[in-house]
Amino acid sequence: MSIIYDEKLKTFHLFNENFSYIMKVLPNGQIGNLYCGRKISPKKDYSYLLETVSRAMASYVFEKETTLSLEHVRQEYGVYGSSDYRFPAVEILQKNGSRISDFRFQSCRIQPGKPKLSGLPATYTEDDSEAETLILVLKDPVTEIQLELFYTLFSGAGILARSARFINQGKEPVHLLKAMSFCLDLPDCQYDWIQFSGAWSRERHPRQRRLEQGIQSVGSMRGHSSHEHNPFIILKRSNADEFQGEVMGFSLIYSGNFLAQAEVDTHDTTRVLLGIHPEWFDWKLEPGEEFQTPEAVMVYTDRGINDMSQTFHRLYQKRLARGYWRDRERPILINNWEATYFDFNEEKLLKLAKTAKEAGIELFVLDDGWFGKRCSDQAGLGDWKANPERLPQGIPGLAAKIENLGMKFGLWFEPEMVNKDSDLYREHPDWILSVPERNQCHGRNQYVLDFSRKEVVDRIYEMMAEILKSGAVSYIKWDMNRSITECWSPALPADRHGEVFHRYILGVYDLYERLTSEFPKVLFESCASGGARFDPGILYYAPQGWTSDDTDAVERLKIQYGTSYCYPTSSIGAHVSASPNHQVNRSTPLSTRANVACFGTFGYELDLNRMTDQELAQVKEQVDFMKTWRKLLQFGKFYRLVSPFEGNIGAWMTVSENQNEAIVGWYRILNTPNPPYTRLRLAGLDPEQLYQVSEDGEVLGEFYGDELMYVGIITSDGNFGSSSHAKKSRCDFESRLFVITGKTDSGSEK
Ligand code: DGJ
């Protein structure tokens, strides 16, 4: 890994063994992009890659010169209004009404490792040798705003982390109206675009289409990253698939309003932009003040989509998530939400916990309804004190009883919200986001606390910290159940209301930071009505997230499959729930529910006391299985094998780092009459290694890695060794888990 700056030619080449990124100072002092892609040999002069041309209707930068038109060169941080007509990366409003910027190269710094982003989540290094950072220092001569563009190249893979920092060194305030984290101009548009979209209960379904001239974008203006779209997109060559071909993934480490966009111009160049959504964004920058954008991460590979995903998984698991739980196997939990909803008392909870303990479950999570007057979703949010009628000895009392059973205790909070029927609201009716004289919209009968204000965050912190200080709580589920409306804060002057959305998220991050640093051993799980804030920003604080409120195994197969394009299995909260399922009323086998959920942070969310003895025995077996294999399931190298979005079968697998162990999940949605022979080709194994394949504890046979990968496992009904599973009667929503372990080769057949 290296960053070379040629001072004379003013070029920058960032490269490692897989990736090259080359830039050059343009004749007008702005920065242009020359190349982004597979590694090319370092050489002195790449100036030939700066193509300029004279085109009809173009506008040119220099008088009497008709080649340098910003519209027709690839830029690093495009500006609108001075010969570029594409959507810009930056827009700054001056006092005189002008919105033009002209950021010219001043100097650069190259440093080992990666600098921190103050107040914002970001990737990090643990050792300076893991990455190198280039900081380009640019300045606008009129506004005297200094712009610093950060580029961190990680070693080993094509990982480039980018962000921008603005420093007002001038004498007048300005307004930042657009300040994207990432801008990349690519020389062609021969790409498929993949976005991850959906709604509550069907989050992150991949949607693919050809890039076309014009703008294609996804984003959120809901105040959180949203169920609807994820701050992650992929551009891939149309011949690229899971295992080969050129792929680029773009991910924004941010939990608020975002925009991810690709614009193809009439000459077929593509501009990729990622950053805070410019709608309602207006940040006033007084002289001396700074603004730091969130970080965006790009991953480039020429080895297919799985490789891109695995690169994100490694980075986000090891160098974005932090703290005590980052590398630890996650506790198997029972959550009472779908077991009781609001209808519980201490006795009922303890009964559930006792049965869970008998099944080997390690953590009991008390969900919504334990505090204030919270007996329905009409009241209580904001009053983070146990309801004495339900929990006579408060949280410490209940937690002690759970711990006496031999389990850890976890608790649900929704820190950012308030019901009007709450003591907090009665005390501080002005603490919600709302616009004077306007209607206040609600969502689920609740209102959004103004987290842009420190005193509001402080108050919530005090209430939460008081409970955590008792030491009784080992886990927190941090929920967030509505989108933001009337985004206005009485604490800010009229010309600063465009800052509230971003300040709100900074407040959320601040609370997370305070709690995670004061209580480092507490495991945080993020949640937002399921997966409405399943993004890399939150992953920095909470190493796992509740992936979706949809706990149906078939829907989950799709949701977890889509989520895996960017996020590691150690971050994917997945539970076994009741059948028929509460969201879609579908009945699925208990085995399939567990076989999907075990590719995540595993748990149960149903009333175990309603299960038969036989089912409880099966739960115990599942828990034992998970305890044996969870390191591999949560931290192994994950491969998508067959997409459930494309047919009746879904399949994935995880492989240990030394390729000695693997677990394969195979899922058939509907039973097929008189089916054809079927096989599943595996991936990531050592072709030379002899493996034993077993299912439900029964050995099915021994196979070399190359057989398993190039021939495949036979999944036809009634076949594959003498598997008793295969002989069982077939049904809809069936699944199989194959455990693959390396054997010492006797050498007899090979
Ligand atoms: C929404 C979450 O996604 C659910 O898991 C549950 O915690 C409810 N909120 C509780 O209100």
Side-chain angles (χ1 to χ4, degrees):
M1 170 193 53
S2 195
I3 297 178
I4 298 174
Y5 170 46
D6 186 315
E7 211 175 333
K8 205 157 145 252
L9 293 166
K10 297 237 171 345
T11 53
F12 310 86
H13 186 180
L14 297 78
F15 65 94
N16 60 28
E17 53 272 43
N18 295 300
F19 176 67
S20 276
Y21 194 89
I22 306 174
M23 297 175 280
K24 182 176 175 57
V25 178
L26 299 171
N28 68 343
Q30 295 180 13
I31 308 287
N33 185 285
L34 299 188
Y35 177 74
C36 168
R38 189 174 172 159
K39 189 228 165 167
I40 55 172
S41 306
K43 87 174 198 196
K44 192 151 177 61
D45 194 0
Y46 296 101
S47 304
Y48 72 96
L49 289 169
L50 174 63
E51 289 181 275
T52 54
V53 71
S54 185
R55 282 180 174 142
M57 284 302 283
S59 312
Y60 300 99
V61 173
F62 299 116
E63 219 170 314
K64 300 200 173 107
E65 198 276 353
T66 56
T67 58
L68 188 68
S69 162
L70 295 178
E71 182 184 8
H72 301 301
V73 290
R74 299 194 301 281
Q75 294 175 66
E76 279 303 295
Y77 210 64
V79 174
Y80 172 79
S82 50
S83 82
D84 188 357
Y85 298 96
R86 291 167 291 180
F87 200 96
V90 56
E91 188 173 321
I92 297 177
L93 177 64
Q94 288 171 239
K95 208 173 158 195
N96 67 4
S98 156
R99 291 165 187 239
I100 289 173
S101 295
D102 181 6
F103 287 109
R104 299 189 196 164
F105 178 70
Q106 305 292 302
S107 62
C108 72
R109 305 195 294 275
I110 296 173
Q111 62 187 67
K114 183 171 189 289
K116 279 196 163 169
L117 256 64
S118 122
L120 281 165
T123 56
Y124 58 89
T125 51
E126 287 196 337
D127 186 291
D128 276 354
S129 64
E130 292 173 9
E132 206 172 351
T133 300
L134 167 70
I135 302 157
L136 298 178
V137 181
L138 318 172
K139 194 156 188 174
D140 184 315
V142 175
T143 59
E144 292 185 86
I145 308 273
Q146 180 167 303
L147 167 62
E148 295 182 348
L149 297 177
F150 290 78
Y151 298 80
T152 298
L153 179 64
F154 282 81
S155 66
I159 305 171
L160 188 68
R162 285 183 58 179
S163 71
R165 180 162 64 181
F166 297 85
I167 306 159
N168 188 350
Q169 297 178 340
K171 291 184 186 57
E172 285 185 354
V174 294
H175 285 260
L176 276 178
L177 303 179
K178 289 187 186 72
M180 303 307 277
S181 303
F182 184 97
C183 172
L184 173 64
D185 288 353
L186 295 162
D188 70 88
C189 66
Q190 303 304 312
Y191 293 99
D192 293 334
W193 152 286
I194 309 178
Q195 65 192 54
F196 295 84
S197 300
W200 174 82
S201 228
R202 52 179 166 84
E203 298 91 337
R204 290 173 297 286
H205 287 204
R207 303 273 159 138
Q208 181 175 324
R209 61 180 180 273
R210 294 281 302 163
L211 269 192
E212 292 293 345
Q213 281 185 5
I215 287 180
Q216 30 260 288
S217 72
V218 289
S220 168
M221 303 197 297
R222 310 181 76 97
H224 53 102
S225 48
S226 88
H227 297 103
E228 284 71 15
H229 302 291
N230 199 255
F232 174 60
I233 53 164
I234 295 174
L235 295 186
K236 70 165 197 69
R237 296 297 187 186
S238 49
N239 64 355
D241 60 27
E242 286 286 9
F243 296 100
Q244 59 79 38
E246 233 183 353
V247 181
M248 287 181 280
F250 304 93
S251 164
L252 184 67
I253 304 180
Y254 190 57
S255 310
N257 288 351
F258 77 91
L259 178 69
Q261 176 169 301
E263 176 174 3
V264 179
D265 70 11
T266 47
H267 295 92
D268 288 345
T269 64
T270 303
R271 169 169 292 176
V272 181
L273 287 173
L274 237 74
I276 294 178
H277 202 300
E279 183 65 31
W280 276 40
F281 175 77
D282 177 346
W283 192 277
K284 187 173 182 189
L285 208 58
E286 293 280 1
E289 283 183 351
E290 295 183 11
F291 180 82
Q292 169 69 56
T293 73
E295 177 169 299
V297 176
M298 168 191 171
V299 167
Y300 168 87
T301 178
D302 62 348
R303 292 193 292 263
I305 315 174
N306 262 316
D307 187 63
M308 177 219 64
S309 296
Q310 288 159 0
T311 306
F312 271 115
H313 295 171
R314 260 192 326 273
L315 180 73
Y316 283 179
Q317 196 168 59
K318 299 285 179 205
R319 293 294 180 267
L320 176 64
R322 301 174 298 167
Y324 180 82
W325 285 101
R326 186 187 76 178
D327 302 330
R328 284 189 161 75
E329 295 170 32
R330 306 297 160 70
I332 299 170
L333 64 82
I334 173 86
N335 178 305
N336 76 308
W337 181 242
E338 287 197 17
T340 66
Y341 295 103
F342 288 112
D343 180 19
F344 64 82
N345 55 27
E346 193 170 277
E347 195 192 333
K348 204 170 183 179
L349 297 177
L350 288 170
K351 216 171 140 209
L352 181 61
K354 197 164 163 286
T355 314
K357 172 63 193 167
E358 281 160 12
I361 293 173
E362 300 157 317
L363 169 70
F364 180 88
V365 177
L366 174 54
D367 210 279
D368 196 353
W370 57 269
F371 50 91
K373 284 206 284 167
R374 186 78 168 171
C375 296
S376 73
D377 63 16
Q378 306 276 333
L381 286 176
D383 296 341
W384 301 108
K385 265 208 168 115
N387 175 347
E389 280 163 33
R390 292 184 158 200
L391 307 174
Q393 282 123 31
I395 290 299
L398 174 64
K401 288 178 193 158
I402 300 282
E403 294 222 338
N404 278 343
L405 290 173
M407 299 173 91
K408 293 283 181 199
F409 177 76
L411 199 56
W412 180 97
F413 284 91
E414 194 175 357
E416 301 149 68
M417 299 292 157
V418 72
N419 287 115
K420 287 200 173 172
D421 187 0
S422 69
D423 292 342
L424 186 72
Y425 180 80
R426 281 183 280 273
E427 208 183 311
H428 297 288
D430 58 327
W431 274 12
I432 63 171
L433 291 174
S434 67
V435 180
E437 298 171 57
R438 298 280 175 200
N439 178 49
Q440 297 168 346
C441 295
H442 75 94
R444 208 194 187 201
N445 309 303
Q446 63 197 50
Y447 297 82
V448 185
L449 285 170
D450 182 358
F451 262 43
S452 74
R453 285 154 78 178
K454 191 171 175 306
E455 68 271 30
V456 179
V457 178
D458 286 348
R459 181 80 186 89
I460 300 298
Y461 165 79
E462 280 159 23
M463 286 191 264
M464 292 179 78
E466 197 174 319
I467 291 175
L468 289 177
K469 272 180 199 149
S470 71
V473 179
S474 307
Y475 159 108
I476 283 187
K477 178 175 172 188
W478 178 320
D479 207 345
M480 193 272 188
N481 284 302
R482 66 156 290 190
S483 303
I484 294 177
T485 54
E486 294 88 33
C487 190
W488 192 92
S489 170
L492 290 171
D495 60 353
R496 282 194 176 268
H497 288 284
E499 300 176 17
V500 182
F501 270 120
H502 183 56
R503 285 186 185 274
Y504 175 90
I505 285 295
L506 294 180
V508 171
Y509 290 153
D510 176 40
L511 182 57
Y512 256 119
E513 185 66 39
R514 286 197 238 172
L515 291 170
T516 49
S517 41
E518 192 169 341
F519 306 100
K521 288 203 175 161
V522 173
L523 171 61
F524 281 75
E525 174 152 351
S526 68
C527 174
S529 275
R533 210 158 57 184
F534 200 105
D535 59 61
I538 289 290
L539 206 50
Y540 183 70
Y541 306 96
Q544 60 190 61
W546 183 226
T547 318
S548 174
D549 270 350
D550 199 329
T551 55
D552 168 67
V554 177
E555 297 305 316
R556 265 310 184 111
L557 176 64
K558 291 186 177 166
I559 294 165
Q560 290 174 213
Y561 198 93
T563 303
S564 80
Y565 281 82
C566 185
Y567 304 99
T569 38
S570 59
S571 69
I572 294 180
H575 300 169
V576 174
S577 65
S579 179
N581 170 268
H582 293 192
Q583 291 77 41
V584 294
N585 208 22
R586 182 182 285 139
S587 297
T588 53
L590 181 54
S591 54
T592 293
R593 284 174 267 154
N595 290 349
V596 173
C598 69
F599 284 86
T601 66
F602 189 71
Y604 289 81
E605 186 157 341
L606 75 175
D607 190 350
L608 295 169
N609 293 317
R610 288 187 182 198
M611 292 183 119
T612 62
D613 287 350
Q614 206 187 356
E615 286 172 326
L616 281 176
Q618 205 180 336
V619 168
K620 191 166 180 334
E621 274 173 29
Q622 293 170 347
V623 169
D624 287 346
F625 177 87
M626 193 63 196
K627 284 181 182 166
T628 309
W629 294 107
R630 72 180 139 186
K631 186 159 182 237
L632 174 58
L633 287 160
Q634 293 170 353
F635 296 95
K637 202 177 205 183
F638 184 84
Y639 290 85
R640 287 177 301 276
L641 299 176
V642 183
S643 170
F645 293 97
E646 284 164 20
N648 197 31
I649 305 286
W652 55 39
M653 70 184 287
T654 175
V655 184
S656 65
E657 211 177 303
N658 63 7
Q659 295 175 298
N660 209 36
E661 289 167 340
I663 295 184
V664 180
W666 177 90
Y667 312 87
R668 179 168 57 193
I669 297 170
L670 293 180
N671 197 5
T672 319
N674 193 11
Y677 297 128
T678 53
R679 287 176 188 176
L680 174 67
R681 285 185 180 186
L682 307 189
L685 301 172
D686 174 355
E688 304 280 316
Q689 163 89 34
L690 183 67
Y691 292 95
Q692 176 178 290
V693 178
S694 35
E695 182 181 21
D696 298 333
E698 185 186 343
V699 177
L700 303 181
E702 289 181 5
F703 309 89
Y704 284 97
D706 52 12
E707 286 181 271
L708 294 169
M709 292 192 292
Y710 314 145
V711 181
I713 286 187
I714 293 177
T715 53
S716 309
D717 292 350
N719 269 314
F720 206 51
S722 58
S723 161
S724 54
H725 182 108
K727 290 191 194 107
K728 278 183 208 154
S729 57
R730 296 277 164 235
C731 62
D732 288 343
F733 319 124
E734 203 188 327
S735 65
R736 303 174 73 170
L737 271 196
F738 299 103
V739 175
I740 298 181
T741 44
K743 297 263 305 170
T744 322
D745 187 352
S746 62
S748 57
E749 289 178 64
K750 207 174 182 188

PDB file of all heavy atoms in Angstrom, residues 337 367-368 412 444 477 479 481 527 529-530 546 549, ligand 1:
ATOM      1  N   TRP A 337     -41.017  -9.786  23.525  1.00  0.00           N
ATOM      2  CA  TRP A 337     -41.979  -8.959  22.771  1.00  0.00           C
ATOM      3  C   TRP A 337     -43.073  -9.804  22.108  1.00  0.00           C
ATOM      4  O   TRP A 337     -44.250  -9.704  22.415  1.00  0.00           O
ATOM      5  CB  TRP A 337     -41.240  -8.068  21.769  1.00  0.00           C
ATOM      6  CG  TRP A 337     -42.168  -7.185  20.971  1.00  0.00           C
ATOM      7  CD1 TRP A 337     -42.350  -7.206  19.623  1.00  0.00           C
ATOM      8  CD2 TRP A 337     -43.047  -6.172  21.477  1.00  0.00           C
ATOM      9  NE1 TRP A 337     -43.277  -6.265  19.247  1.00  0.00           N
ATOM     10  CE2 TRP A 337     -43.727  -5.607  20.374  1.00  0.00           C
ATOM     11  CE3 TRP A 337     -43.330  -5.666  22.742  1.00  0.00           C
ATOM     12  CZ2 TRP A 337     -44.668  -4.590  20.496  1.00  0.00           C
ATOM     13  CZ3 TRP A 337     -44.277  -4.639  22.875  1.00  0.00           C
ATOM     14  CH2 TRP A 337     -44.929  -4.125  21.763  1.00  0.00           C
ATOM     15  N   ASP A 367     -38.569  -6.400  26.760  1.00  0.00           N
ATOM     16  CA  ASP A 367     -38.839  -5.423  25.696  1.00  0.00           C
ATOM     17  C   ASP A 367     -39.749  -4.308  26.215  1.00  0.00           C
ATOM     18  O   ASP A 367     -39.843  -4.058  27.432  1.00  0.00           O
ATOM     19  CB  ASP A 367     -39.424  -6.169  24.476  1.00  0.00           C
ATOM     20  CG  ASP A 367     -39.071  -5.507  23.158  1.00  0.00           C
ATOM     21  OD1 ASP A 367     -39.748  -4.520  22.794  1.00  0.00           O
ATOM     22  OD2 ASP A 367     -38.124  -5.957  22.485  1.00  0.00           O
ATOM     23  N   ASP A 368     -40.437  -3.672  25.329  1.00  0.00           N
ATOM     24  CA  ASP A 368     -41.283  -2.500  25.603  1.00  0.00           C
ATOM     25  C   ASP A 368     -42.309  -2.785  26.708  1.00  0.00           C
ATOM     26  O   ASP A 368     -42.833  -3.895  26.796  1.00  0.00           O
ATOM     27  CB  ASP A 368     -42.019  -2.185  24.281  1.00  0.00           C
ATOM     28  CG  ASP A 368     -42.612  -0.806  24.274  1.00  0.00           C
ATOM     29  OD1 ASP A 368     -42.574  -0.142  25.311  1.00  0.00           O
ATOM     30  OD2 ASP A 368     -43.123  -0.400  23.204  1.00  0.00           O
ATOM     31  N   TRP A 412     -35.074  -2.998  27.051  1.00  0.00           N
ATOM     32  CA  TRP A 412     -35.461  -2.197  25.884  1.00  0.00           C
ATOM     33  C   TRP A 412     -35.589  -0.713  26.265  1.00  0.00           C
ATOM     34  O   TRP A 412     -36.117  -0.392  27.327  1.00  0.00           O
ATOM     35  CB  TRP A 412     -36.811  -2.711  25.400  1.00  0.00           C
ATOM     36  CG  TRP A 412     -37.427  -2.042  24.202  1.00  0.00           C
ATOM     37  CD1 TRP A 412     -37.357  -2.463  22.919  1.00  0.00           C
ATOM     38  CD2 TRP A 412     -38.282  -0.886  24.183  1.00  0.00           C
ATOM     39  NE1 TRP A 412     -38.098  -1.641  22.095  1.00  0.00           N
ATOM     40  CE2 TRP A 412     -38.676  -0.652  22.849  1.00  0.00           C
ATOM     41  CE3 TRP A 412     -38.750  -0.008  25.166  1.00  0.00           C
ATOM     42  CZ2 TRP A 412     -39.511   0.391  22.452  1.00  0.00           C
ATOM     43  CZ3 TRP A 412     -39.577   1.058  24.776  1.00  0.00           C
ATOM     44  CH2 TRP A 412     -39.949   1.240  23.426  1.00  0.00           C
ATOM     45  N   ARG A 444     -47.183   6.349  15.699  1.00  0.00           N
ATOM     46  CA  ARG A 444     -47.400   5.412  16.810  1.00  0.00           C
ATOM     47  C   ARG A 444     -47.673   6.168  18.124  1.00  0.00           C
ATOM     48  O   ARG A 444     -47.147   5.835  19.179  1.00  0.00           O
ATOM     49  CB  ARG A 444     -46.171   4.519  16.983  1.00  0.00           C
ATOM     50  CG  ARG A 444     -46.480   3.154  17.568  1.00  0.00           C
ATOM     51  CD  ARG A 444     -45.220   2.454  18.037  1.00  0.00           C
ATOM     52  NE  ARG A 444     -45.509   1.099  18.443  1.00  0.00           N
ATOM     53  CZ  ARG A 444     -44.751   0.371  19.240  1.00  0.00           C
ATOM     54  NH1 ARG A 444     -43.643   0.849  19.714  1.00  0.00           N
ATOM     55  NH2 ARG A 444     -45.079  -0.850  19.564  1.00  0.00           N
ATOM     56  N   LYS A 477     -31.530  -2.946  24.112  1.00  0.00           N
ATOM     57  CA  LYS A 477     -32.106  -2.845  22.762  1.00  0.00           C
ATOM     58  C   LYS A 477     -32.581  -1.406  22.629  1.00  0.00           C
ATOM     59  O   LYS A 477     -33.469  -0.968  23.350  1.00  0.00           O
ATOM     60  CB  LYS A 477     -33.263  -3.825  22.616  1.00  0.00           C
ATOM     61  CG  LYS A 477     -33.961  -3.757  21.271  1.00  0.00           C
ATOM     62  CD  LYS A 477     -35.005  -4.858  21.180  1.00  0.00           C
ATOM     63  CE  LYS A 477     -35.877  -4.738  19.946  1.00  0.00           C
ATOM     64  NZ  LYS A 477     -36.988  -5.688  19.968  1.00  0.00           N
ATOM     65  N   ASP A 479     -34.416   1.194  20.561  1.00  0.00           N
ATOM     66  CA  ASP A 479     -35.415   1.220  19.497  1.00  0.00           C
ATOM     67  C   ASP A 479     -35.673   2.659  19.031  1.00  0.00           C
ATOM     68  O   ASP A 479     -35.280   3.636  19.697  1.00  0.00           O
ATOM     69  CB  ASP A 479     -36.710   0.601  20.062  1.00  0.00           C
ATOM     70  CG  ASP A 479     -37.585  -0.021  18.981  1.00  0.00           C
ATOM     71  OD1 ASP A 479     -37.364   0.256  17.796  1.00  0.00           O
ATOM     72  OD2 ASP A 479     -38.508  -0.769  19.348  1.00  0.00           O
ATOM     73  N   ASN A 481     -39.043   4.295  16.778  1.00  0.00           N
ATOM     74  CA  ASN A 481     -40.219   3.793  16.062  1.00  0.00           C
ATOM     75  C   ASN A 481     -41.006   4.812  15.250  1.00  0.00           C
ATOM     76  O   ASN A 481     -42.184   4.585  14.966  1.00  0.00           O
ATOM     77  CB  ASN A 481     -41.160   3.110  17.054  1.00  0.00           C
ATOM     78  CG  ASN A 481     -40.641   1.742  17.445  1.00  0.00           C
ATOM     79  OD1 ASN A 481     -40.438   0.881  16.590  1.00  0.00           O
ATOM     80  ND2 ASN A 481     -40.390   1.541  18.719  1.00  0.00           N
ATOM     81  N   CYS A 527     -32.154  -0.822  16.841  1.00  0.00           N
ATOM     82  CA  CYS A 527     -33.444  -1.245  16.298  1.00  0.00           C
ATOM     83  C   CYS A 527     -34.188   0.018  15.902  1.00  0.00           C
ATOM     84  O   CYS A 527     -34.028   1.060  16.529  1.00  0.00           O
ATOM     85  CB  CYS A 527     -34.208  -1.997  17.399  1.00  0.00           C
ATOM     86  SG  CYS A 527     -35.890  -2.431  16.950  1.00  0.00           S
ATOM     87  N   SER A 529     -38.079   0.120  14.600  1.00  0.00           N
ATOM     88  CA  SER A 529     -39.212  -0.618  14.037  1.00  0.00           C
ATOM     89  C   SER A 529     -38.663  -1.730  13.162  1.00  0.00           C
ATOM     90  O   SER A 529     -39.014  -1.846  11.998  1.00  0.00           O
ATOM     91  CB  SER A 529     -40.107   0.304  13.211  1.00  0.00           C
ATOM     92  OG  SER A 529     -41.022   0.934  14.044  1.00  0.00           O
ATOM     93  N   GLY A 530     -37.780  -2.512  13.721  1.00  0.00           N
ATOM     94  CA  GLY A 530     -37.053  -3.488  12.918  1.00  0.00           C
ATOM     95  C   GLY A 530     -35.856  -2.798  12.304  1.00  0.00           C
ATOM     96  O   GLY A 530     -35.051  -2.183  13.004  1.00  0.00           O
ATOM     97  N   TRP A 546     -31.328  -5.130  15.159  1.00  0.00           N
ATOM     98  CA  TRP A 546     -32.531  -5.925  14.895  1.00  0.00           C
ATOM     99  C   TRP A 546     -32.867  -5.703  13.429  1.00  0.00           C
ATOM    100  O   TRP A 546     -33.225  -4.599  13.015  1.00  0.00           O
ATOM    101  CB  TRP A 546     -33.641  -5.502  15.849  1.00  0.00           C
ATOM    102  CG  TRP A 546     -34.913  -6.298  15.739  1.00  0.00           C
ATOM    103  CD1 TRP A 546     -36.184  -5.778  15.702  1.00  0.00           C
ATOM    104  CD2 TRP A 546     -35.059  -7.722  15.685  1.00  0.00           C
ATOM    105  NE1 TRP A 546     -37.090  -6.793  15.628  1.00  0.00           N
ATOM    106  CE2 TRP A 546     -36.438  -8.007  15.611  1.00  0.00           C
ATOM    107  CE3 TRP A 546     -34.156  -8.786  15.668  1.00  0.00           C
ATOM    108  CZ2 TRP A 546     -36.928  -9.310  15.521  1.00  0.00           C
ATOM    109  CZ3 TRP A 546     -34.643 -10.075  15.586  1.00  0.00           C
ATOM    110  CH2 TRP A 546     -36.022 -10.323  15.516  1.00  0.00           C
ATOM    111  N   ASP A 549     -38.619  -6.342  11.781  1.00  0.00           N
ATOM    112  CA  ASP A 549     -39.700  -6.828  12.640  1.00  0.00           C
ATOM    113  C   ASP A 549     -40.346  -8.074  12.049  1.00  0.00           C
ATOM    114  O   ASP A 549     -41.174  -8.706  12.688  1.00  0.00           O
ATOM    115  CB  ASP A 549     -40.771  -5.743  12.804  1.00  0.00           C
ATOM    116  CG  ASP A 549     -40.476  -4.863  13.995  1.00  0.00           C
ATOM    117  OD1 ASP A 549     -39.578  -5.209  14.779  1.00  0.00           O
ATOM    118  OD2 ASP A 549     -41.155  -3.831  14.154  1.00  0.00           O
TER     119      ASP A 549
HETATM  120  C1  DGJ B   1     -40.428  -2.195  17.411  1.00  0.00           C
HETATM  121  C2  DGJ B   1     -39.352  -3.239  17.490  1.00  0.00           C
HETATM  122  O1  DGJ B   1     -38.813  -3.483  16.237  1.00  0.00           O
HETATM  123  C3  DGJ B   1     -39.933  -4.481  18.125  1.00  0.00           C
HETATM  124  O2  DGJ B   1     -38.981  -5.508  18.129  1.00  0.00           O
HETATM  125  C4  DGJ B   1     -40.369  -4.154  19.521  1.00  0.00           C
HETATM  126  O3  DGJ B   1     -39.264  -3.806  20.294  1.00  0.00           O
HETATM  127  C5  DGJ B   1     -41.380  -3.005  19.479  1.00  0.00           C
HETATM  128  N1  DGJ B   1     -40.889  -1.883  18.723  1.00  0.00           N
HETATM  129  C6  DGJ B   1     -41.735  -2.577  20.860  1.00  0.00           C
HETATM  130  O4  DGJ B   1     -42.533  -1.475  20.857  1.00  0.00           O
END
